[in-house]
Amino acid sequence: MARATTPARRAGITALGWAVGLLVFFPILWMVLTSLKTEAEAIAIPPRFLNFSWTLENYYTVNARSNYPLHALNSVVISLGSTLLGLLVAIPAAWAFAFSPTRRTRDVLMWMLSTKMLPAVGVLVPIYLIFRDYGLLDTRTGLVIVLSLINLPIIVWMLYTYFREIPNDILEAARMDGASLPKEVIYVLLPMAVPGIASTMLLNIILAWNEAFWTLNLTASRAAPLTAFIASYSSPEGLFWAKLSAASTLAIAPILIMGWFSQRQLVRGLTFGAVK
């Protein structure tokens, strides 16, 4: 029997949720406010929250110094390209794990997930040498390949979880009606798993967008995404907090907007199959 929720309990839960939300959002708010300050006000002690001279000078300086549209375009191409490439590989793999399992399926899945525990720096040298020899350094193609491979275990695991929630009887009925394997996957499986695929795609885009280690080590200028754009404002002379905050705000704004408008789909996909 479900426990009744009293108005006081509901108000307490709501207040706690707002408190946690504000705590998580505060660093982003502080970054935006810092981007609207002068450099002197950005490092003032005690910090100034709202009582400062608001200015857009840092944004003008950032756009004059760096090619923001190029970096943004690189981030879009790399994140979308790595996500689509990962899905092309992960969907057949997840289908095989979910609907044609063997006694080694769980072991293989755990092995794939364990590769995420390897420190990235441990494979930097061989990957760098491979990229150098094959002309993939500072190219979008190279970053698309490496980011799709890095995030592939997560994509496979998420899709495997969603596919497991789809009744196998439906696929067997499609086979009895004469559906071939490609048609079974394209016309039966994928439409039923759209929420899970969409949430997997959104999560992978966010992971690829925020990836800094590989983008900083495998790019220089032509294919540098927004993570490299942010890093360019850290120099031996010191950190320019206001300009760094402006660059960071410009870098995270597109992914924040995408996450805001797709939050319902993301939550729906992440809770797919959670309630029977």
Side-chain angles (χ1 to χ4, degrees):
M1 181 176 180
R3 181 171 57 180
T5 304
T6 63
R9 181 183 176 84
R10 189 182 303 113
I13 294 174
T14 302
L16 179 61
W18 274 101
V20 173
L22 291 174
L23 181 64
V24 172
F25 180 71
F26 182 77
I28 299 176
L29 175 62
W30 186 254
M31 178 186 66
V32 175
L33 291 176
T34 303
S35 71
L36 299 172
K37 300 177 182 179
T38 63
E39 289 294 345
E41 290 172 326
I43 59 175
I45 302 295
R48 299 175 182 178
F49 189 68
L50 293 176
N51 56 332
F52 59 86
S53 302
W54 297 60
T55 178
L56 295 176
E57 178 186 356
N58 298 309
Y59 290 94
Y60 294 131
T61 303
V62 166
N63 280 284
R65 170 181 165 179
S66 306
N67 190 349
Y68 173 78
L70 175 62
H71 292 293
L73 178 62
N74 288 338
S75 286
V76 171
V77 172
I78 292 167
S79 57
L80 288 179
S82 64
T83 299
L84 294 177
L85 180 59
L87 287 175
L88 287 176
V89 177
I91 288 176
W95 176 91
F97 288 138
F99 300 109
S100 298
T102 66
R103 60 189 183 90
R104 294 292 185 181
T105 294
R106 184 69 61 174
D107 295 335
V108 174
L109 285 169
M110 290 303 299
W111 171 79
M112 291 181 60
L113 193 61
S114 69
T115 60
K116 294 293 294 180
M117 305 174 189
L118 174 70
V121 70
V123 293
L124 173 61
V125 173
I127 289 182
Y128 182 89
L129 294 177
I130 292 173
F131 271 48
R132 183 198 64 184
D133 294 342
Y134 286 91
L136 294 175
L137 282 177
D138 200 19
T139 64
R140 296 173 182 170
T141 302
L143 285 179
V144 166
I145 294 173
V146 73
L147 293 186
S148 64
L149 293 177
I150 288 171
N151 294 324
L152 188 60
I154 295 177
I155 302 176
V156 172
W157 259 97
M158 291 186 67
L159 292 179
Y160 167 75
T161 303
Y162 301 134
F163 289 174
R164 288 283 293 174
E165 299 296 328
I166 298 175
N168 196 27
D169 295 341
I170 297 178
L171 300 182
E172 291 180 355
R175 296 188 198 112
M176 293 179 65
D177 290 338
S180 61
L181 181 58
K183 291 183 178 180
E184 174 188 330
V185 174
I186 295 173
Y187 296 111
V188 181
L189 178 65
L190 295 186
M192 297 183 66
V194 164
I197 295 174
S199 63
T200 302
M201 186 174 180
L202 290 171
L203 180 61
N204 191 77
I205 289 175
I206 294 172
L207 292 174
W209 189 280
N210 294 330
E211 175 60 42
F213 180 82
W214 294 108
T215 55
L216 292 177
N217 284 286
L218 298 178
T219 62
S221 57
R222 291 179 301 168
L226 288 171
T227 47
F229 169 72
I230 297 174
S232 66
Y233 286 88
S234 174
S235 66
E237 291 78 17
L239 289 175
F240 299 93
W241 291 111
K243 296 179 180 60
L244 180 62
S245 297
S248 300
T249 301
L250 290 172
I252 70 171
I255 204 70
L256 279 179
I257 294 172
M258 187 200 76
W260 176 265
F261 285 104
S262 61
Q263 59 181 322
R264 181 175 299 179
Q265 179 62 47
L266 184 60
V267 172
R268 180 187 175 192
L270 292 176
T271 57
F272 180 71
V275 180
K276 296 291 184 181

